[in-house]
């Protein structure tokens, strides 16, 4: 039986919410960026035509690619136009990739309920109307009248994420071409952002090198616990992390004189389960840990550092599995291509980062190459692995990609057992599943992105996923939905800050 929340979904009709601001401000910027990227790519191709002595067959291929590129630009521009005017959501064409039937079936449900436009479709759920469903009684209450009625098929909550429709449409526009079907319109943006993180990357590499110089760290659980805290902070709120300048001696200081600094940092943390998570890890032996990935670039780098710490410096973990997305997703989410390219770029830092940064940090460059060399060895040995083959192409149309298909459906994660049974069964073997959510999508899908009271227990918001496997959600607040926060704290913030505390990432 499908789990049903007793609260309505977030949607863009609430002008005070994060959804509305995203639809009005962020989406047009992202779509415009895609158009600009395609224009630049086509312009670069047109310059190639001017090269003297160009082979005629090559010229014909370039011309065909330019024409395909212009056709994609036209489709993306039309999408932007229709979004701005609250037009009907467009069905996904049959393009040979996954989830077409799922999306289109749900879009038909939206259409029947007259909630199939860009501004009226709920953020995660397509079936809300003015009703709230009581999951204990399967009765529906009309908010405006208080009337109660039976829950029939019409009111089954049909999951749909309108952002997913947009990104899936973008993928479809490219996938149906001959020359652009492996093109990631967000790649240049991801790489540039990653490149600008070079200083922090080199500093962290030197920190990890220094840890390697420390004999017997595995036998010092108190120091490992301090480092575990830093690993969590590093990957989820990088401006709060001390790892960019943390020496072995600093670990001792953190246990004593710098407790005040750690206490000051804790005021930004609304829910901290670090201690029980660490105790859980201490009870593991040769465990497998899973990372459900979020952003590529620096965040993926910190995920790899975190994984390295777990398998290299603690006695509890022997394997880490990383779960990517199969298509370019929410601009920066990790695809298998991103994962593979990260190793390639970090293995040759002098070719990727700014020359002056390389020349000023020769020791750190060597430390980075040493660390990434260890990661490559872990990949070869299976200590690190992707949930899909590392050469999986965009779209996942390749053997072995099934375990990643669920992450890019419109389904909330509480439907994992029925809608993603293969990945569900796989994760049941994990010692801990870490959901990375700096960009917030994983958290929204874990909780269904419905209007839970902020003091709702996290376990309740997880629905049937609660207890299925050990689960840690690392989350920076960047969307409306929040659970597991003390009621008094929530009400105080709502009163003093309005919605800001839920969405500003602090």
């Amino acid at each position: 039986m499908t789990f049903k929340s007793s609260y309505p979904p977030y949607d863009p009709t609430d002008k005070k919410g994060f959804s509305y601001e995203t639809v009005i401000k962020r989406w047009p910027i992202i779509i415009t960026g895609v158009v600009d990227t395609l224009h630049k790519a086509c312009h670069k191709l047109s310059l190639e035509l001017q090269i003297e002595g160009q082979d005629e067959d090559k010229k014909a291929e370039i011309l065909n690619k330019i024409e395909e590129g212009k056709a994609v630009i036209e489709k993306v521009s039309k999408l932007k136009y229709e979004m701005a005017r609250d037009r009907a959501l467009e069905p996904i064409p049959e393009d040979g990739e996954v989830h077409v039937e799922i999306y289109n079936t749900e879009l038909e449900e939206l259409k029947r309920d007259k909630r199939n436009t860009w501004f009226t479709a709920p953020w995660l759920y397509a079936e809300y109307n003015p009703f709230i469903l009581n999951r204990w009684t399967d009765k529906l209450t009309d908010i405006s009248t208080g009337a109660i009625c039976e829950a029939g098929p019409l009111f089954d909550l049909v999951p749909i994420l309108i952002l997913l429709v947009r990104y899936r449409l973008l993928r479809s526009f490219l996938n149906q071409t001959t020359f652009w079907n492996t093109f990631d319109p967000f790649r240049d943006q991801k790489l540039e952002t990653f490149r600008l993180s070079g200083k922090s990357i080199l500093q962290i590499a030197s920190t990890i090198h220094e840890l390697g110089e420390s004999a017997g760290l595995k036998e010092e659980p108190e120091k490992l616990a301090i480092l575990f805290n830093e690993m969590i902070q590093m990957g989820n709120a990088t401006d709060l992390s001390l790892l960019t300048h943390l020496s072995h001696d600093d670990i001792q200081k953190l246990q004593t004189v710098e407790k005040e600094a750690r206490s000051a940092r804790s005021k930004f943390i609304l829910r901290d389960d670090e201690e029980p998570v660490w105790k859980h890890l201490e009870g593991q032996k040769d465990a497998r840990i899973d990372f459900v990935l979020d952003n590529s670039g620096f965040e993926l780098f910190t995920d790899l550092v975190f994984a390295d710490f777990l398998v290299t410096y603690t006695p509890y973990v022997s394997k880490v599995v990383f779960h990517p997305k199969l298509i370019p997703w929410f601009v920066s989410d990790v695809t298998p291509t991103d994962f593979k390219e990260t190793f390639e770029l970090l293995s040759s830092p002098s070719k990727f980062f700014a020359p002056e940064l390389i020349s000023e940090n020769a020791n750190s460059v060597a430390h980075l190459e040493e660390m990434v060399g260890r990661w490559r060895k872990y990949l070869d040995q299976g200590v690190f692995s992707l949930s899909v083959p590392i050469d999986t192409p965009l779209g996942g149309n390749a053997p072995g990609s099934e375990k990643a298909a669920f992450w890019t459906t419109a389904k909330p994660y509480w439907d994992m057992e029925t809608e993603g049974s293969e990945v569900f069964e796989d994760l049941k073997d994990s010692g801990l599943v870490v959901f990375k959510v700096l960009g917030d999508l994983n958290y929204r899908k874990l909780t269904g992105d419905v209007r839970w009271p902020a003091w709702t227990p996290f376990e309740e918001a997880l629905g049937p996923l609660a207890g299925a496997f050990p689960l840690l959600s690392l989350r920076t607040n960047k969307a409306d939905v929040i659970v597991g926060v003390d009621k008094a704290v929530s009400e105080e913030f709502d009163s003093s800050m309005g919605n800001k505390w839920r969405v500003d990432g602090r």
Side-chain angles (χ1 to χ4, degrees):
M1 179 177 176
T2 300
F3 176 72
K4 300 177 177 70
S5 166
S6 55
Y7 295 92
Y10 285 102
D11 64 41
T13 61
D14 179 6
K15 294 186 178 181
K16 296 181 181 179
F18 181 71
S19 306
Y20 180 80
E21 182 176 348
T22 298
V23 171
I24 295 298
K25 296 180 180 179
R26 296 177 66 192
W27 288 5
I29 292 173
I30 292 172
I31 295 293
T32 299
V34 172
V35 172
D36 289 345
T37 298
L38 288 165
H39 270 301
K40 290 175 183 176
C42 288
H43 176 67
K44 186 176 180 180
L45 288 169
S46 67
L47 295 179
E48 290 185 34
L49 289 173
Q50 301 175 23
I51 299 175
E52 293 186 8
Q54 185 78 265
D55 178 82
E56 290 301 317
D57 289 341
K58 182 65 175 177
K59 279 187 177 182
E61 181 180 307
I62 292 173
L63 283 169
N64 288 334
K65 186 172 183 178
I66 291 173
E67 288 305 309
E68 278 194 340
K70 289 179 179 179
V72 173
I73 290 171
E74 184 176 345
K75 290 180 179 180
V76 176
S77 299
K78 179 174 178 282
L79 177 64
K80 179 184 175 183
Y81 178 89
E82 293 181 343
M83 286 169 52
R85 287 153 183 81
D86 195 24
R87 299 284 176 83
L89 294 164
E90 182 179 336
I92 308 295
E94 289 290 346
D95 60 1
E97 290 191 358
V98 295
H99 312 323
V100 174
E101 183 178 350
I102 292 174
Y103 279 111
N104 292 342
T105 299
E106 292 171 354
L107 284 172
E108 283 299 313
E109 294 288 338
L110 281 171
K111 185 177 180 179
R112 281 194 288 270
D113 195 32
K114 297 181 180 179
R115 292 174 60 80
N116 64 322
T117 70
W118 287 99
F119 287 11
T120 60
W123 200 249
L124 184 57
Y125 287 100
E127 192 54 70
Y128 163 47
N129 274 344
F131 295 91
I132 289 181
L133 179 67
N134 186 313
R135 66 178 169 279
W136 308 120
T137 64
D138 284 337
K139 305 276 187 181
L140 288 156
T141 302
D142 188 319
I143 298 172
S144 60
T145 66
I148 297 176
C149 64
E150 295 294 330
L154 176 61
F155 295 102
D156 288 340
L157 296 180
V158 183
I160 180 70
L161 196 56
I162 53 180
L163 284 92
L164 303 190
V165 173
R166 185 191 66 186
Y167 286 101
R168 184 62 179 85
L169 276 172
L170 287 176
R171 173 61 194 157
S172 184
F173 295 159
L174 294 163
N175 182 47
Q176 295 176 84
T177 68
T178 299
F179 299 103
W180 300 87
N181 58 3
T182 60
F183 182 75
D184 181 351
F186 308 117
R187 179 177 179 271
D188 289 348
Q189 180 181 342
K190 289 188 281 190
L191 288 182
E192 181 58 25
T193 303
F194 191 24
R195 187 179 288 109
L196 293 175
S197 304
K199 184 176 181 180
S200 294
I201 288 170
L202 292 176
Q203 289 174 332
I204 289 173
S206 288
T207 296
I208 299 302
H209 172 80
E210 178 139 347
L211 292 181
E213 302 275 289
S214 306
L217 190 59
K218 285 188 176 183
E219 284 72 45
E220 300 183 76
E222 289 186 2
K223 290 183 179 180
L224 288 176
I226 293 291
L227 287 168
F228 178 73
N229 174 269
E230 293 307 315
M231 293 292 168
I232 288 178
Q233 297 297 333
M234 170 188 62
N236 227 48
T238 54
D239 57 324
L240 300 179
S241 179
L242 301 179
L243 264 188
T244 53
H245 55 269
L246 184 67
S247 69
H248 186 65
D249 290 340
D250 289 330
I251 301 172
Q252 189 68 36
K253 293 179 184 177
L254 282 172
Q255 293 175 287
T256 54
V257 299
E258 294 193 20
K259 285 184 178 179
E260 289 186 11
R262 298 184 73 211
S263 177
R265 184 171 62 178
S266 70
K267 72 180 181 179
F268 294 100
I269 301 174
L270 290 174
R271 172 67 183 260
D272 187 358
D273 293 317
E274 175 205 341
E275 185 174 341
V277 172
W278 181 245
K279 287 187 179 299
H280 171 77
L281 282 175
E282 285 185 307
Q284 301 292 304
K285 180 176 175 59
D286 293 329
R288 164 188 146 190
I289 304 297
D290 289 71
F291 280 72
V292 180
L293 298 172
D294 187 37
N295 294 322
S296 59
F298 183 72
E299 188 183 341
L300 174 57
F301 168 77
T302 61
D303 292 340
L304 289 162
V305 171
F306 196 171
D308 189 13
F309 163 73
L310 291 172
V311 300
T312 305
Y313 300 103
T314 82
Y316 317 124
V317 179
S318 61
K319 179 180 177 64
V320 177
V321 179
F322 300 92
H323 298 262
K325 307 294 193 300
L326 290 179
I327 68 175
W329 206 243
F330 282 71
V331 180
S332 55
D333 282 53
V334 180
T335 66
T337 303
D338 294 323
F339 190 88
K340 182 179 179 180
E341 189 172 34
T342 296
F343 279 76
E344 294 169 352
L345 295 172
L346 295 179
S347 295
S348 302
S350 60
K351 297 179 181 179
F352 181 56
F353 297 117
E356 57 272 18
L357 182 67
I358 297 298
S359 62
E360 293 169 4
N361 297 275
N363 288 338
S364 293
V365 170
H367 298 157
L368 178 61
E369 292 173 340
E370 170 194 22
M371 182 172 66
V372 178
R374 181 168 63 250
W375 296 353
R376 283 186 173 276
K377 182 179 178 181
Y378 285 165
L379 274 178
D380 292 340
Q381 296 172 338
V383 176
F384 284 0
S385 67
L386 273 186
S387 61
V388 299
I390 198 167
D391 291 319
T392 298
L394 293 185
N397 286 336
S401 64
E402 296 81 7
K403 287 182 182 179
F406 176 74
W407 306 119
T408 49
T409 68
K411 303 294 184 181
Y413 291 164
W414 62 49
D415 285 343
M416 188 185 298
E417 184 173 9
T418 56
E419 303 297 337
S421 58
E422 188 164 358
V423 69
F424 180 80
E425 292 299 323
D426 185 45
L427 292 180
K428 285 166 66 175
D429 294 330
S430 180
L432 180 67
V433 183
V434 182
F435 286 84
K436 295 300 304 295
V437 284
L438 183 59
D440 238 16
L441 177 61
N442 278 335
Y443 186 86
R444 287 159 52 201
K445 295 186 79 174
L446 280 168
T447 60
D449 204 47
V450 297
R451 298 175 186 265
W452 300 106
W455 50 91
T456 303
F458 184 50
E459 294 79 6
E460 180 179 342
L462 288 174
L465 196 65
F469 42 76
L471 184 159
L472 169 65
S473 172
L474 294 179
R475 191 258 181 135
T476 299
N477 291 1
K478 290 187 177 181
D480 302 277
V481 60
I482 287 177
V483 298
V485 176
D486 183 79
K487 184 176 182 179
V489 172
S490 170
E491 291 177 339
E492 177 187 348
F493 283 163
D494 280 337
S495 175
S496 62
M497 299 177 64
N499 201 52
K500 184 178 179 181
W501 70 283
R502 296 170 176 264
V503 301
D504 68 1
R506 297 189 69 229

